[in-house]
Structures are given as structure tokens and as C-alpha cells.
Amino acid sequence: TEDDGIVRVFRWVAKDLIDRVESYKPQEISNSVWAFATVGFGYNSAKGANAIDSIHVRSEDYDGDREMIFDTLEVVAKNASSRLNRFKAQELNNLLWGYAKLGHRSEAAEELFKGVAKELARRTWQFKSQDVGTTLWSLATVECFDEEAFTAGASRLNLNQIRRFKPQEMSNSIWAMATAGFKPLYTRAFDTTLVPRNMRPTKKQLAEDTFGESYAAVALETMRRPHEFKDQELKDVMWSFSRVGIRHPALFKSTAEHVIGREGRGLSSFSSQGLGNLLWSYAKQAQLSLEVIEALGDDVNLVTTGRLAVYETSCLDNGEANIKGLFVEA
């Protein structure tokens, strides 16, 4: 069958890499690993990303192929780590993405991940927007939370360059930063509902904070062109802000109006997981308001009407009709 032919080719390439990896050029190595990951050949279901969609070829010896790919990736990791400076940015991106998707974890792989992170930090300017987004996503997925690499990547998502990024590239980047725990210095910078203007940072202060500017830039672009974002991309942006404890009423109100407004996309196309994460993000925004109210005390911008503060804030953030409509429609 066609799958049998594909499997034979992949087995031959995997064995050849083990035997003579040193003769492979960087592009050939990264392309091979990318190909294994794209079809899920040798996928480790215990640690790989997106299990349901990862295996696209059938094999009669799944365990044997998985063991062979493990050995292949070990050899590749050790060899590639010694010459990462010869890999182009896209080749580094494809290589790391392959390891992340296949779920390969080992000491040799950890050294490879750290090496790629150093290359991202050292020559960020060589990475295109797609490479930035995917490389950060891969680093977060393999739990390599290198601060210099993430700071370098985040620096590319600035207000001057953000329009060059596609929605997937932005959502991958912001999801990665949030997953790794990197957030703005001023976590209340965007809370126009509860935080008085004189207690929020100036534009200059925000611009001096790499992560602060990147979160601000992604939020602005999400509000400017929400129709370009797929459901998962939109959900990932919202999840990321709530995940690191950043309230952003303007972003959440704009997204609610886009989703359930008169001409909105609706919620029917969201996966069950995506819908759950989206609703969690809105609920978390309301929960975070309690922390702000407690911290600011009498300085908080909130005039109570007798309703619970968390509900009151949700209505102020999103509009009562929007917040009710969002949860009713879901």
C-alpha cells in the first residue's frame, strides 16, 4: 500500500541518519526531522504535542519504529548540537518543532533545546515572524524556558513590527510566553476598568518593557483584525492574558462583540476544549478583578450597585449583554 512505501522510506532515512549523520547538511537534518514529525512517524504519545492529529501513516511495527526514531533523534541531537551555528534560522525552527511534535525528551535533546534557545537569543534578527512564533511555541512545549531566548523573541513583537505577524504567529508567540510564565512588568497596565490612569504606566514605560510591549501589540492587533484569527488562535490569545494574570477589558470586550455580536462568528465552530478555555479566560478576568480591588482599596475605579463585585466588574469590562450572551450561547 501507499503507507507501506512511505514507512519504508522513513525507516531507511532514519537508519541512514544513525549510520552517517555527520555527512548530512543542516538543511537535510532539519528537513528529515520535520518530515518525521509532520506524519507522526515514531511519535511518542506520552510526551508529543497534539496526539490526535499526529499520526498520519500506518505502521505494522509501531513500537519498533518509535524505538528506531528515538535512537535516530538521539544521534541527531548530539550531532546537531555541535554545529548549530551552521543552521539557518528556519532550519533551527524546523528542527526544534520536530522534536516538540514527536515528544522526544532526553539529556541530549535538552542540550539541543538549550542550544537552539541560545541561537535565537544570539541572532534574533535572522528569524522571520513565522520562525519566531514557532520557535517560541516549541521551546514552551518542550519546557525550555530560557529567559534570554524568550526576551529576544518577544522583542520582535513590538508595536512597530507587529503588523508583519500573521494571527497564528502572534497566538503561538503569546501562548508560549504565557506558558513559560513571562509577563509584563506592569500587570495592571491594561486595566482601564479598575485602575486609575495615574496608576497605570505611560506609553514610554510600557515600551521599555519588552514583554509589556509584546502583550500590548498582540492585543491591539487582535482587536484590529479579529476576523483573521481562527478559533484556536483567538482562544489562545485570550487564554494567555488570563493565564499570566493580566486584565485587559478592551481586548475581552472587543472579542466578545466579535464572537457573539449581531454579525459575530458565533461559538458553534469552537471545539469543546477551545470553548472551555475561552470561557475560563473570561471567568478568570473577573476573578482577577478581586485581587485588583483588594490591592487598590479606596483608589479602585468601582462604584458598586450592590451586586457581587466579580459580576459587577464583568459587566463593566464587557457590557452586561455581552457577558450574558457569551455564557448563554455557550
Side-chain angles (χ1 to χ4, degrees), residues 10 13 17 26-41 54 56 69 72-73 76 87 90-102 130-131 134 138:
F10 277 103
V13 173
L17 276 167
Q27 184 180 29
E28 296 166 347
I29 290 176
S30 66
N31 282 351
S32 297
V33 174
W34 177 89
F36 293 149
T38 298
V39 301
F41 185 71
S54 290
H56 302 293
I69 286 298
T72 301
L73 294 178
V76 168
F87 281 69
Q90 185 177 6
E91 294 163 358
L92 291 170
N93 172 24
N94 288 343
L95 182 66
L96 182 60
W97 179 85
Y99 275 80
K101 289 290 286 186
L102 288 170
Q130 179 181 0
D131 297 326
T134 308
S138 299

Side-chain angles (χ1 to χ4, degrees), residues 49-93:
N50 301 327
I52 295 176
D53 300 324
S54 290
I55 301 176
H56 302 293
V57 293
R58 291 173 296 180
S59 169
E60 295 180 356
D61 187 14
Y62 170 77
D63 289 335
D65 290 335
R66 182 166 52 81
E67 291 176 6
M68 179 174 60
I69 286 298
F70 182 92
D71 293 339
T72 301
L73 294 178
E74 282 291 276
V75 170
V76 168
K78 293 174 183 177
N79 180 272
S81 293
S82 67
R83 49 174 170 147
L84 287 176
N85 62 318
R86 294 166 56 186
F87 281 69
K88 295 179 180 178
Q90 185 177 6
E91 294 163 358
L92 291 170
N93 172 24

